[in-house]
Amino acid sequence: MMKTVGELKEFIKDLPDDMLLANYESNMETSGYRNRLSCDVVNMKTETKHSWDRFDGTDYSYEVLKRAEDGVPYLRFS
């Protein structure tokens, strides 16, 4: 797992510039890998969400990123 642009650059440094990209997409009608990936830079910040395990009822929390004008810049892939 990569968390920074530097880690991404190090990972791809030896790959050819013309190597194709694949991204997994899934929706109500289709799913599979496709050659279409987009990215942009957006300000985001961490938000804590809460949920529960539907099987045993255990409560838990997890962190996600949320778009925010006062956040820090992230390279976002979609």
Coordinates of all heavy atoms in Angstrom, one line a residue:
M1 N 0.8 -1.2 0.0 CA 0.0 0.0 0.0 C 0.9 1.2 0.0 O 1.9 1.3 0.7 CB -0.9 0.0 1.2 CG -1.7 1.2 1.3 SD -3.0 1.3 2.6 CE -2.5 0.3 3.9
M2 N 0.5 2.2 -0.8 CA 1.3 3.4 -0.9 C 0.4 4.6 -0.3 O -0.8 4.6 -0.4 CB 1.5 3.8 -2.4 CG 2.5 2.9 -3.0 SD 2.6 3.1 -4.8 CE 1.6 1.7 -5.3
K3 N 1.1 5.5 0.4 CA 0.4 6.6 1.0 C 0.9 8.0 0.5 O 0.2 9.0 0.8 CB 0.5 6.5 2.5 CG -0.3 5.3 3.1 CD -0.3 5.4 4.6 CE -1.2 4.3 5.1 NZ -1.5 4.5 6.5
T4 N 2.0 8.0 -0.2 CA 2.5 9.3 -0.7 C 2.8 9.3 -2.2 O 3.1 8.2 -2.7 CB 3.7 9.7 0.1 OG1 4.8 8.8 -0.2 CG2 3.5 9.7 1.6
V5 N 2.9 10.4 -2.8 CA 3.3 10.5 -4.2 C 4.8 10.0 -4.3 O 5.1 9.3 -5.3 CB 3.2 12.0 -4.7 CG1 3.9 12.1 -6.1 CG2 1.7 12.4 -4.8
G6 N 5.6 10.2 -3.3 CA 7.0 9.7 -3.4 C 7.0 8.2 -3.5 O 7.8 7.6 -4.2
E7 N 6.2 7.5 -2.7 CA 6.1 6.1 -2.7 C 5.6 5.6 -4.1 O 6.1 4.6 -4.6 CB 5.2 5.5 -1.6 CG 5.8 5.7 -0.2 CD 4.8 5.4 0.9 OE1 3.6 5.4 0.7 OE2 5.3 5.2 2.0
L8 N 4.7 6.3 -4.7 CA 4.1 6.0 -6.0 C 5.2 6.1 -7.0 O 5.4 5.3 -7.9 CB 2.9 6.8 -6.3 CG 2.3 6.7 -7.7 CD1 1.9 5.2 -7.9 CD2 1.2 7.7 -7.9
K9 N 6.0 7.2 -7.0 CA 7.1 7.5 -7.9 C 8.1 6.4 -7.8 O 8.6 5.9 -8.9 CB 7.7 8.8 -7.7 CG 6.9 10.0 -8.1 CD 7.7 11.3 -7.8 CE 6.9 12.5 -8.3 NZ 7.7 13.7 -8.0
E10 N 8.5 6.0 -6.6 CA 9.5 4.9 -6.5 C 9.0 3.6 -7.0 O 9.7 2.9 -7.7 CB 9.8 4.8 -5.0 CG 10.8 3.7 -4.7 CD 12.2 3.8 -5.3 OE1 12.6 5.0 -5.6 OE2 12.8 2.8 -5.5
F11 N 7.7 3.3 -6.9 CA 7.1 2.1 -7.4 C 7.1 2.0 -8.9 O 7.4 1.0 -9.5 CB 5.7 1.9 -6.8 CG 5.1 0.6 -7.3 CD1 5.4 -0.6 -6.7 CD2 4.1 0.6 -8.3 CE1 4.8 -1.8 -7.1 CE2 3.5 -0.6 -8.7 CZ 3.9 -1.8 -8.1
I12 N 6.9 3.1 -9.6 CA 6.7 3.1 -11.0 C 8.0 3.6 -11.7 O 8.0 3.7 -13.0 CB 5.5 4.0 -11.5 CG1 5.7 5.5 -11.2 CG2 4.2 3.5 -10.9 CD1 4.7 6.4 -11.8
K13 N 9.1 3.9 -11.0 CA 10.3 4.5 -11.6 C 10.8 3.7 -12.8 O 11.4 4.2 -13.7 CB 11.3 4.8 -10.6 CG 12.0 3.5 -10.0 CD 13.1 4.0 -9.0 CE 13.6 2.8 -8.2 NZ 14.2 1.8 -8.8
D14 N 10.7 2.4 -12.8 CA 11.3 1.5 -13.8 C 10.3 1.1 -14.9 O 10.6 0.3 -15.8 CB 12.0 0.3 -13.2 CG 13.1 0.7 -12.4 OD1 13.9 1.6 -12.7 OD2 13.3 0.0 -11.3
L15 N 9.0 1.5 -14.7 CA 8.0 1.1 -15.7 C 8.1 2.0 -16.9 O 8.4 3.2 -16.8 CB 6.6 1.2 -15.1 CG 6.4 0.4 -13.8 CD1 5.0 0.6 -13.3 CD2 6.6 -1.1 -14.1
P16 N 7.7 1.5 -18.1 CA 7.8 2.3 -19.3 C 6.6 3.3 -19.3 O 5.5 3.1 -18.8 CB 7.5 1.3 -20.4 CG 6.9 0.1 -19.8 CD 7.4 0.1 -18.4
D17 N 6.9 4.5 -19.9 CA 5.9 5.6 -20.0 C 4.7 5.2 -20.7 O 3.6 5.8 -20.4 CB 6.5 6.8 -20.6 CG 7.6 7.5 -19.7 OD1 7.6 7.2 -18.5 OD2 8.3 8.3 -20.2
D18 N 4.7 4.3 -21.6 CA 3.6 3.9 -22.4 C 2.8 2.7 -21.8 O 1.9 2.1 -22.5 CB 3.9 3.7 -23.8 CG 4.9 2.5 -24.0 OD1 5.5 2.1 -23.0 OD2 5.1 2.2 -25.2
M19 N 3.2 2.3 -20.6 CA 2.4 1.1 -20.0 C 1.0 1.6 -19.7 O 0.7 2.7 -19.2 CB 3.1 0.7 -18.6 CG 2.3 -0.4 -17.9 SD 3.1 -0.9 -16.4 CE 4.2 -2.2 -17.1
L20 N 0.1 0.7 -20.0 CA -1.4 1.0 -19.9 C -1.8 0.9 -18.4 O -1.1 0.2 -17.6 CB -2.2 0.1 -20.7 CG -2.0 0.2 -22.2 CD1 -2.7 -0.9 -23.0 CD2 -2.4 1.6 -22.7
L21 N -2.8 1.6 -18.0 CA -3.4 1.6 -16.7 C -4.7 0.8 -16.6 O -5.5 0.9 -17.6 CB -3.6 3.1 -16.2 CG -2.4 4.0 -16.2 CD1 -2.9 5.4 -15.9 CD2 -1.4 3.5 -15.2
A22 N -4.9 0.2 -15.5 CA -6.2 -0.6 -15.3 C -6.7 -0.2 -14.0 O -6.0 -0.1 -13.0 CB -5.9 -2.1 -15.4
N23 N -8.1 0.0 -14.0 CA -8.8 0.3 -12.8 C -10.0 -0.5 -12.7 O -10.8 -0.7 -13.6 CB -9.1 1.8 -12.8 CG -9.8 2.3 -11.6 OD1 -9.3 2.0 -10.5 ND2 -10.9 3.1 -11.7
Y24 N -10.3 -1.1 -11.5 CA -11.5 -1.9 -11.3 C -12.7 -1.0 -11.1 O -12.7 -0.1 -10.3 CB -11.3 -2.9 -10.1 CG -12.4 -3.9 -10.0 CD1 -12.4 -5.0 -10.8 CD2 -13.5 -3.7 -9.1 CE1 -13.4 -5.9 -10.7 CE2 -14.5 -4.6 -9.1 CZ -14.5 -5.8 -9.9 OH -15.5 -6.7 -9.8
E25 N -13.8 -1.3 -11.8 CA -15.0 -0.5 -11.7 C -16.1 -1.5 -11.5 O -16.2 -2.6 -12.0 CB -15.3 0.3 -13.0 CG -14.3 1.4 -13.3 CD -14.6 2.1 -14.5 OE1 -15.8 2.0 -15.0 OE2 -13.7 2.8 -15.1
S26 N -17.1 -1.1 -10.6 CA -18.2 -1.9 -10.3 C -19.4 -1.0 -10.1 O -19.3 -0.1 -9.3 CB -17.9 -2.8 -9.1 OG -19.1 -3.6 -8.8
N27 N -20.5 -1.4 -10.7 CA -21.8 -0.6 -10.5 C -22.9 -1.6 -10.5 O -22.7 -2.8 -10.6 CB -21.9 0.6 -11.5 CG -21.9 0.1 -12.9 OD1 -22.6 -0.9 -13.3 ND2 -21.1 0.8 -13.7
M28 N -24.1 -1.1 -10.6 CA -25.3 -2.0 -10.6 C -25.4 -2.9 -11.8 O -25.9 -4.0 -11.7 CB -26.6 -1.1 -10.6 CG -26.8 -0.3 -9.3 SD -27.0 -1.3 -7.9 CE -28.7 -1.8 -8.1
E29 N -24.8 -2.5 -13.0 CA -24.9 -3.3 -14.2 C -23.7 -4.0 -14.6 O -23.7 -5.1 -15.3 CB -25.5 -2.5 -15.4 CG -26.9 -2.0 -15.2 CD -27.0 -0.7 -14.5 OE1 -26.0 0.1 -14.4 OE2 -28.1 -0.4 -13.9
T30 N -22.5 -3.5 -14.3 CA -21.2 -4.0 -14.9 C -20.2 -4.0 -13.8 O -20.2 -3.3 -12.8 CB -20.7 -3.2 -16.1 OG1 -20.4 -1.9 -15.6 CG2 -21.8 -3.1 -17.2
S31 N -19.1 -4.8 -14.1 CA -18.0 -4.8 -13.2 C -16.8 -5.4 -14.0 O -17.0 -6.2 -14.9 CB -18.2 -5.6 -11.9 OG -18.4 -7.0 -12.2
G32 N -15.6 -5.0 -13.6 CA -14.4 -5.5 -14.2 C -13.3 -4.4 -14.3 O -13.5 -3.3 -14.0
Y33 N -12.1 -4.9 -14.8 CA -11.0 -3.9 -15.0 C -11.2 -3.2 -16.3 O -11.5 -3.8 -17.3 CB -9.7 -4.7 -14.9 CG -9.3 -5.1 -13.5 CD1 -9.6 -6.3 -13.0 CD2 -8.6 -4.2 -12.7 CE1 -9.3 -6.7 -11.8 CE2 -8.3 -4.5 -11.4 CZ -8.6 -5.8 -10.9 OH -8.3 -6.2 -9.7
R34 N -10.9 -1.9 -16.3 CA -11.0 -1.1 -17.5 C -9.8 -0.2 -17.6 O -9.1 0.1 -16.6 CB -12.3 -0.3 -17.5 CG -13.5 -1.2 -17.5 CD -14.7 -0.4 -17.6 NE -15.9 -1.3 -17.6 CZ -17.1 -0.9 -17.8 NH1 -17.4 0.3 -18.0 NH2 -18.0 -1.8 -17.8
N35 N -9.5 0.2 -18.8 CA -8.4 1.1 -19.1 C -8.9 2.6 -19.1 O -8.9 3.3 -20.1 CB -7.7 0.8 -20.4 CG -6.6 1.7 -20.8 OD1 -6.6 2.3 -21.9 ND2 -5.7 1.9 -19.9
R36 N -9.3 3.0 -17.9 CA -9.7 4.4 -17.7 C -9.6 4.8 -16.3 O -10.3 4.2 -15.4 CB -11.1 4.7 -18.3 CG -12.2 3.8 -17.7 CD -13.5 4.1 -18.5 NE -14.7 3.6 -17.7 CZ -15.9 3.6 -18.1 NH1 -16.1 4.0 -19.3 NH2 -16.9 3.1 -17.4
L37 N -8.7 5.6 -16.0 CA -8.4 6.1 -14.7 C -8.2 7.6 -14.7 O -7.6 8.1 -15.6 CB -7.1 5.4 -14.2 CG -6.5 5.8 -12.8 CD1 -7.4 5.3 -11.7 CD2 -5.1 5.3 -12.7
S38 N -8.8 8.3 -13.8 CA -8.6 9.7 -13.8 C -8.1 10.1 -12.4 O -8.3 9.4 -11.4 CB -9.9 10.5 -14.1 OG -10.9 10.1 -13.1
C39 N -7.5 11.3 -12.3 CA -7.0 11.8 -11.0 C -7.1 13.3 -11.0 O -7.1 13.9 -12.1 CB -5.6 11.3 -10.7 SG -4.4 11.8 -11.8
D40 N -7.2 13.8 -9.8 CA -7.1 15.3 -9.6 C -6.6 15.6 -8.2 O -6.3 14.7 -7.5 CB -8.5 15.9 -9.8 CG -9.6 15.3 -8.9 OD1 -9.3 14.4 -8.1 OD2 -10.7 15.8 -8.9
V41 N -6.4 16.8 -8.0 CA -5.8 17.2 -6.6 C -7.0 17.9 -5.9 O -7.6 18.9 -6.4 CB -4.6 18.1 -6.8 CG1 -4.2 18.6 -5.4 CG2 -3.5 17.4 -7.5
V42 N -7.3 17.4 -4.7 CA -8.4 18.0 -3.9 C -7.9 18.2 -2.5 O -7.1 17.4 -2.0 CB -9.7 17.2 -4.0 CG1 -10.3 17.2 -5.4 CG2 -9.5 15.8 -3.5
N43 N -8.4 19.2 -1.8 CA -8.2 19.3 -0.3 C -9.1 18.4 0.4 O -10.3 18.4 0.2 CB -8.4 20.7 0.1 CG -7.3 21.6 -0.4 OD1 -6.3 21.2 -0.9 ND2 -7.5 22.9 -0.3
M44 N -8.5 17.6 1.3 CA -9.3 16.7 2.1 C -8.8 16.7 3.6 O -7.7 17.1 3.9 CB -9.2 15.2 1.5 CG -9.6 15.2 0.1 SD -9.4 13.5 -0.6 CE -11.1 13.0 -0.4
K45 N -9.7 16.2 4.4 CA -9.3 16.0 5.8 C -9.9 14.7 6.3 O -10.9 14.2 5.8 CB -9.6 17.2 6.7 CG -11.1 17.5 6.9 CD -11.2 18.7 7.8 CE -12.6 19.2 7.9 NZ -12.7 20.4 8.7
T46 N -9.4 14.2 7.4 CA -9.8 12.9 8.0 C -11.1 13.1 8.8 O -11.3 14.1 9.5 CB -8.7 12.3 8.9 OG1 -7.6 12.2 8.2 CG2 -9.2 11.0 9.5
E47 N -12.0 12.1 8.6 CA -13.3 12.1 9.4 C -13.4 10.7 10.0 O -13.1 9.7 9.3 CB -14.4 12.4 8.4 CG -15.8 12.4 9.1 CD -16.9 12.6 8.1 OE1 -17.2 13.8 7.8 OE2 -17.5 11.6 7.5
T48 N -13.9 10.7 11.2 CA -14.1 9.4 11.9 C -15.6 9.0 11.7 O -16.5 9.8 11.9 CB -13.8 9.4 13.4 OG1 -12.4 9.8 13.5 CG2 -14.0 8.1 14.0
K49 N -15.8 7.8 11.2 CA -17.2 7.3 11.0 C -17.4 6.1 12.0 O -16.4 5.5 12.4 CB -17.4 6.8 9.6 CG -17.5 7.9 8.6 CD -18.0 7.4 7.3 CE -18.4 8.6 6.4 NZ -19.2 8.2 5.3
H50 N -18.6 5.9 12.4 CA -18.9 4.8 13.3 C -20.0 3.9 12.7 O -20.8 4.3 11.9 CB -19.5 5.4 14.6 CG -18.6 6.4 15.2 ND1 -17.6 6.1 16.1 CD2 -18.6 7.8 15.1 CE1 -17.0 7.1 16.5 NE2 -17.5 8.2 15.9
S51 N -19.8 2.6 13.0 CA -20.7 1.6 12.4 C -20.8 0.4 13.4 O -20.2 0.5 14.5 CB -20.2 1.2 11.1 OG -21.2 0.4 10.4
W52 N -21.4 -0.6 13.0 CA -21.5 -1.8 13.8 C -21.5 -3.1 12.9 O -21.9 -3.0 11.8 CB -22.7 -1.8 14.7 CG -24.0 -2.0 14.0 CD1 -24.7 -3.1 13.7 CD2 -24.8 -1.0 13.3 NE1 -25.8 -2.9 13.0 CE2 -25.9 -1.6 12.7 CE3 -24.6 0.4 13.2 CZ2 -26.8 -0.8 12.0 CZ3 -25.6 1.1 12.5 CH2 -26.6 0.5 11.9
D53 N -20.9 -4.1 13.4 CA -20.9 -5.4 12.7 C -22.3 -6.0 12.7 O -22.9 -6.2 13.7 CB -19.9 -6.3 13.4 CG -19.7 -7.6 12.6 OD1 -20.6 -8.4 12.4 OD2 -18.5 -7.9 12.3
R54 N -22.8 -6.2 11.5 CA -24.1 -6.7 11.3 C -24.3 -8.1 11.8 O -25.4 -8.6 12.1 CB -24.6 -6.7 9.8 CG -24.7 -5.3 9.1 CD -25.0 -4.2 10.0 NE -25.3 -2.9 9.3 CZ -24.5 -1.9 9.2 NH1 -23.4 -1.9 9.8 NH2 -24.9 -0.8 8.6
F55 N -23.2 -8.9 11.9 CA -23.2 -10.3 12.4 C -23.3 -10.4 13.9 O -24.2 -11.0 14.4 CB -22.0 -11.0 11.8 CG -22.0 -12.5 12.2 CD1 -22.9 -13.4 11.7 CD2 -21.1 -12.9 13.1 CE1 -22.9 -14.7 12.1 CE2 -21.0 -14.3 13.5 CZ -21.9 -15.1 13.0
D56 N -22.3 -9.7 14.6 CA -22.3 -9.9 16.0 C -22.6 -8.6 16.8 O -22.6 -8.6 18.0 CB -20.9 -10.4 16.5 CG -19.8 -9.5 16.2 OD1 -20.0 -8.3 15.9 OD2 -18.6 -9.9 16.4
G57 N -22.9 -7.5 16.1 CA -23.4 -6.3 16.8 C -22.2 -5.5 17.4 O -22.5 -4.5 18.1
T58 N -21.0 -5.8 17.1 CA -19.8 -5.1 17.7 C -19.8 -3.7 17.1 O -19.8 -3.5 15.9 CB -18.5 -5.8 17.4 OG1 -18.6 -7.1 17.9 CG2 -17.3 -5.1 18.0
D59 N -19.6 -2.7 17.9 CA -19.4 -1.3 17.5 C -18.0 -1.1 17.1 O -17.1 -1.6 17.7 CB -19.8 -0.3 18.6 CG -21.3 -0.2 18.9 OD1 -22.1 -0.5 17.9 OD2 -21.6 0.0 20.0
Y60 N -17.7 -0.3 16.0 CA -16.4 0.1 15.6 C -16.4 1.4 14.9 O -17.4 1.9 14.5 CB -15.7 -1.0 14.8 CG -16.4 -1.2 13.4 CD1 -15.9 -0.6 12.3 CD2 -17.5 -2.1 13.3 CE1 -16.5 -0.8 11.1 CE2 -18.1 -2.3 12.0 CZ -17.6 -1.6 10.9 OH -18.1 -1.8 9.7
S61 N -15.2 2.0 14.9 CA -15.0 3.3 14.1 C -13.9 3.1 13.1 O -13.0 2.2 13.3 CB -14.8 4.4 15.1 OG -13.6 4.2 15.8
Y62 N -13.9 3.9 12.1 CA -12.9 3.9 11.1 C -12.7 5.3 10.5 O -13.6 6.1 10.6 CB -13.2 2.9 10.0 CG -14.5 3.1 9.3 CD1 -14.5 3.8 8.0 CD2 -15.7 2.7 9.8 CE1 -15.8 4.0 7.4 CE2 -16.9 3.0 9.2 CZ -16.9 3.6 8.0 OH -18.1 3.8 7.3
E63 N -11.6 5.6 9.9 CA -11.3 6.9 9.4 C -11.4 6.9 7.8 O -11.0 5.9 7.2 CB -9.9 7.4 9.8 CG -9.8 7.7 11.3 CD -8.5 8.2 11.7 OE1 -7.5 8.1 10.9 OE2 -8.4 8.8 12.7
V64 N -12.0 7.9 7.3 CA -12.1 8.1 5.9 C -11.7 9.6 5.6 O -11.6 10.4 6.5 CB -13.6 7.9 5.4 CG1 -14.0 6.5 5.6 CG2 -14.5 8.9 6.0
L65 N -11.4 9.8 4.3 CA -11.1 11.2 3.9 C -12.3 11.9 3.3 O -13.1 11.3 2.6 CB -10.0 11.2 2.8 CG -8.7 10.6 3.3 CD1 -7.7 10.4 2.2 CD2 -8.1 11.6 4.4
K66 N -12.5 13.1 3.7 CA -13.6 13.9 3.2 C -13.1 15.2 2.6 O -12.2 15.8 3.1 CB -14.5 14.3 4.4 CG -15.7 15.1 4.1 CD -16.5 15.4 5.3 CE -17.7 16.2 5.0 NZ -18.5 16.5 6.2
R67 N -13.7 15.6 1.4 CA -13.3 16.8 0.8 C -13.6 18.0 1.7 O -14.7 18.1 2.3 CB -14.1 16.9 -0.5 CG -13.6 18.0 -1.4 CD -14.2 18.0 -2.7 NE -13.5 18.9 -3.6 CZ -13.5 18.8 -4.9 NH1 -14.2 17.9 -5.5 NH2 -12.8 19.7 -5.6
A68 N -12.6 18.9 1.8 CA -12.7 20.0 2.7 C -11.8 21.2 2.3 O -10.7 21.0 2.0 CB -12.4 19.6 4.2
E69 N -12.4 22.4 2.1 CA -11.6 23.5 1.7 C -10.4 23.8 2.6 O -9.4 24.2 2.2 CB -12.5 24.8 1.7 CG -13.5 24.7 0.5 CD -12.9 24.7 -0.8 OE1 -11.9 25.3 -1.1 OE2 -13.4 23.9 -1.7
D70 N -10.6 23.5 3.9 CA -9.5 23.8 4.9 C -8.6 22.5 5.1 O -7.8 22.5 6.0 CB -10.1 24.2 6.2 CG -11.0 23.2 6.9 OD1 -11.5 22.3 6.2 OD2 -11.2 23.3 8.1
G71 N -8.7 21.5 4.2 CA -7.9 20.3 4.3 C -6.6 20.5 3.7 O -6.2 21.6 3.3
V72 N -5.9 19.3 3.5 CA -4.6 19.3 2.9 C -4.7 18.7 1.5 O -5.6 17.9 1.3 CB -3.5 18.6 3.7 CG1 -3.3 19.3 5.0 CG2 -3.9 17.2 4.0
P73 N -3.9 19.0 0.6 CA -4.0 18.5 -0.8 C -3.7 17.0 -0.9 O -2.8 16.5 -0.3 CB -2.9 19.3 -1.6 CG -2.5 20.4 -0.8 CD -2.8 20.0 0.6
Y74 N -4.5 16.3 -1.6 CA -4.4 14.9 -1.9 C -4.5 14.7 -3.4 O -5.3 15.3 -4.1 CB -5.5 14.1 -1.2 CG -5.3 13.7 0.2 CD1 -5.6 14.6 1.2 CD2 -4.9 12.5 0.6 CE1 -5.4 14.3 2.5 CE2 -4.7 12.1 1.9 CZ -5.0 13.1 2.9 OH -4.8 12.8 4.2
L75 N -3.7 13.7 -3.9 CA -3.8 13.3 -5.3 C -4.9 12.2 -5.2 O -4.7 11.1 -4.7 CB -2.5 12.7 -5.9 CG -2.6 12.2 -7.3 CD1 -3.0 13.2 -8.3 CD2 -1.2 11.6 -7.6
R76 N -6.1 12.5 -5.8 CA -7.2 11.5 -5.7 C -7.4 10.8 -7.1 O -7.4 11.4 -8.1 CB -8.5 12.3 -5.4 CG -9.7 11.5 -5.4 CD -10.9 12.3 -5.0 NE -11.2 13.3 -6.1 CZ -12.3 14.1 -6.1 NH1 -13.2 14.0 -5.1 NH2 -12.5 14.9 -7.1
F77 N -7.5 9.5 -7.0 CA -7.7 8.6 -8.1 C -9.2 8.2 -8.2 O -9.8 7.9 -7.1 CB -6.8 7.4 -8.1 CG -5.4 7.7 -8.2 CD1 -4.6 7.9 -7.0 CD2 -4.8 7.8 -9.4 CE1 -3.2 8.1 -7.1 CE2 -3.4 8.0 -9.5 CZ -2.6 8.2 -8.4
S78 N -9.7 8.0 -9.4 CA -11.1 7.5 -9.5 C -11.2 6.9 -10.9 O -10.4 7.0 -11.7 CB -12.1 8.6 -9.3 OG -11.9 9.7 -10.2

